[in-house]
Structure formats: structure tokens, C-alpha cells
Amino acid sequence: MQSRRGPLKSAVPSNVVSPVRRCSRTACGRPAVATLTYVYADSTAVLGPLATYAEPHCYDLCAEHSERLTAPRGWEVVRLLDGSAPARPTGDDLEALANAVREAARPQQRAAEAGGGGGRTADPMEVARRGHLRVLRSPDN
């Protein structure tokens, strides 16, 4: 006996099932980027990178909801860093960058302060210069 509807399609598009995990918050359909777990014994909410598998007692959150997460009064929120995400620059990184820029600008300042001196460089060890490379005189001479 043959169906009047015709043959069934093998791949029916559906908006109900998606291979991408979605935010657990009601009416939020954004993709999940973090997983929230409650540790009731320690009164702690742990927010970390998206778990490999969806667990029954864990909640997947989108970026917006994970940033705005608050815990109940008396609870602590522990945010675990995602090792795959690029790290934000710290004060030490910015200071190191500023020091590198100052150091790179220093030879040009010395040459300007020396007043040109007929083509001689400010550093007595420097013989010639090409771009950022310098030819230095041997200490024996």
C-alpha cells in the first residue's frame, strides 16, 4: 500500500533541533559560550568555558547572560578563564610595550642631541647604520 502524501524526505529542515547549544535562559536563543554550575555545599556558582557535553544540572549561557551573572546573597561567583580565548593585556604588558617604544626611540634622540656632528653618530662604538641595523667598532680598536 502506498501513502497518498508521497515519499518521506530524509532530511527535513527543522528549527526545533539545532547542532549549536543555546543559552538556557528563557526566551534567549543566542549560542552558548559558557557553562554555569552550582556547588551547593560551598554556596558557590562556578562559571567556566562551555562544557564539552550538556549536563543535566549545568546551565549553558550566552555571552551577555554570562557577563551579567549574579549569585544569590551570601554566595560567591567563581569565573574560570577560558584557556583558548586570547588574554586581555594587563598593566605589565602595557608597561613593557611602553618601555620597548622608549628604547626604540632612544638612538634617534641621541643623534638629534649630538647635532649631526658631520655624519658621526652619537655612539662612539657605532661605525655605520642601515635601517635598524648597526655596525659596531670592535672594542680592541
Side-chain angles (χ1 to χ4, degrees):
M1 182 165 189
Q2 193 170 7
S3 171
R4 289 192 287 180
R5 294 184 190 172
L8 293 174
K9 295 181 182 177
S10 61
V12 178
S14 172
N15 293 337
V16 177
V17 179
S18 172
V20 177
R21 285 171 41 197
R22 301 286 177 188
C23 184
S24 297
R25 296 290 303 260
T26 305
C28 181
R30 291 185 286 265
V33 297
T35 299
L36 172 66
T37 306
Y38 290 108
V39 182
Y40 294 98
D42 297 331
S43 299
T44 304
V46 180
L47 183 68
L50 188 62
T52 308
Y53 300 103
E55 297 289 333
H57 299 288
C58 296
Y59 303 93
D60 294 336
L61 299 177
C62 64
E64 182 180 339
H65 286 122
S66 64
E67 289 173 8
R68 295 187 331 186
L69 175 74
T70 58
R73 186 175 300 179
W75 282 54
E76 181 182 0
V77 176
V78 176
R79 295 178 186 269
L80 302 175
L81 296 177
D82 182 5
S84 65
R88 292 185 176 166
T90 63
D92 292 341
D93 295 335
L94 296 176
E95 186 176 347
L97 180 60
N99 289 339
V101 169
R102 280 190 213 106
E103 185 65 31
R106 191 169 292 153
Q108 295 170 352
Q109 288 175 349
R110 278 196 227 137
E113 291 169 2
R120 279 187 66 109
T121 61
D123 187 357
M125 294 295 290
E126 188 175 320
V127 176
R129 186 176 191 92
R130 183 173 194 135
H132 68 280
L133 301 174
R134 298 184 301 168
V135 177
L136 301 177
R137 183 168 29 121
S138 173
D140 298 338
N141 293 343

